[in-house]
């Protein structure tokens, strides 16, 4: 991240001092866990600070709330992904279980895929994962999702495009 201009540094300091207590309190009420609330608030401010032109934000609390909701959504998706992955590992035969290092690498890869797919609809995400992780055919995916095979092709193209864009960033 490039260094902040003097104006952005001042806007960041003002935004943080005026709204961080409100955001933290709001998150604490929602999450009922101080540590999680602090993590989400910190991540929210990191994302906001990375944005240029902070002084142009007209409704800071609405903006912070939206960014925080996005952080929470990604966090919940990541936790759900981890839960499903660990559940699948628990059902795997011991001889097939990956090492701790392989597990960490696989989980990191799953997180990166999930992050790349954040830009597509939930149906496109499901179709992509059903194809790539479950090995389902387009016809099986179409039947499961209640869409046409041509729609599954579009979903797959969207998912592949998002993954490709994520690898070039």
């Amino acid at each position: 991240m490039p260094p902040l201009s003097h104006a952005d540094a001042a806007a960041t300091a003002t935004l943080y001092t005026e709204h961080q207590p409100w955001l933290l309190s709001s998150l604490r009420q929602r999450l009922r866990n101080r540590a999680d609330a602090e993590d989400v608030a910190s991540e929210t401010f990191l994302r906001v600070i990375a944005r240029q032109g902070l002084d142009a934000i007209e409704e800071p609390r609405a903006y912070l709330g939206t960014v925080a909701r996005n952080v929470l959504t990604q966090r919940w998706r990541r936790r759900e992904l981890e839960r499903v992955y660990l559940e699948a590992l628990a059902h795997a035969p011991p001889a097939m279980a990956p090492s701790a290092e392989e597990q960490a690498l696989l989980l990191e890869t799953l997180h990166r895929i999930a992050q790349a797919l954040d830009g597509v609809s939930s149906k496109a995400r499901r179709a992509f994962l059903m194809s790539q992780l479950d090995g389902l055919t387009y016809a099986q995916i179409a039947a499961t999702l209640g869409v046409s095979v041509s729609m599954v092709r579009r979903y797959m193209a969207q998912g592949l495009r998002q993954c490709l864009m994520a690898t070039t960033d």
Side-chain angles (χ1 to χ4, degrees):
M1 181 169 69
L4 294 176
S5 69
H6 181 66
D8 279 339
T12 298
T14 301
L15 184 73
Y16 186 83
T17 56
E18 290 181 3
H19 301 288
Q20 190 272 349
W22 165 81
L23 181 62
L24 186 58
S25 173
S26 173
L27 289 168
R28 224 182 292 133
Q29 285 177 337
R30 184 171 186 175
L31 299 175
R32 301 187 194 282
N33 180 311
R34 183 178 178 87
D36 284 345
E38 288 173 351
D39 287 347
V40 172
S42 295
E43 178 68 23
T44 299
F45 277 99
L46 284 173
R47 289 186 187 189
V48 169
I49 290 168
R51 179 184 186 270
Q52 298 295 317
L54 293 177
D55 52 346
I57 298 172
E58 294 180 21
E59 297 291 334
R61 289 189 176 183
Y63 183 73
L64 288 168
T66 299
V67 174
R69 277 189 296 284
N70 290 339
V71 169
L72 280 171
T73 299
Q74 288 177 344
R75 198 176 167 99
W76 289 328
R77 281 185 191 154
R78 195 172 340 163
R79 285 186 180 168
E80 178 62 13
L81 190 63
E82 287 176 15
R83 185 193 64 73
V84 169
Y85 173 69
L86 293 173
E87 189 176 289
L89 274 181
H91 295 322
M96 300 288 291
S99 68
E101 181 180 352
E102 290 171 324
Q103 286 180 29
L105 288 171
L106 287 170
L107 200 52
E108 177 62 27
T109 301
L110 287 173
H111 286 301
R112 291 181 73 189
I113 292 169
Q115 189 174 15
L117 294 177
D118 274 346
V120 299
S121 69
S122 62
K123 276 193 175 181
R125 185 180 317 106
R126 286 182 60 205
F128 185 83
L129 294 175
M130 282 190 251
S131 169
Q132 299 302 303
L133 299 180
D134 299 332
L136 297 181
T137 66
Y138 287 11
Q140 291 169 321
I141 296 167
T144 302
L145 296 178
V147 297
S148 67
V149 172
S150 63
M151 194 71 221
V152 172
R153 283 190 193 100
R154 284 190 210 129
Y155 289 155
M156 290 302 296
Q158 290 171 12
L160 290 169
R161 194 171 21 258
Q162 286 295 116
C163 287
L164 181 61
M165 287 174 30
T167 60
T168 58
D169 287 343

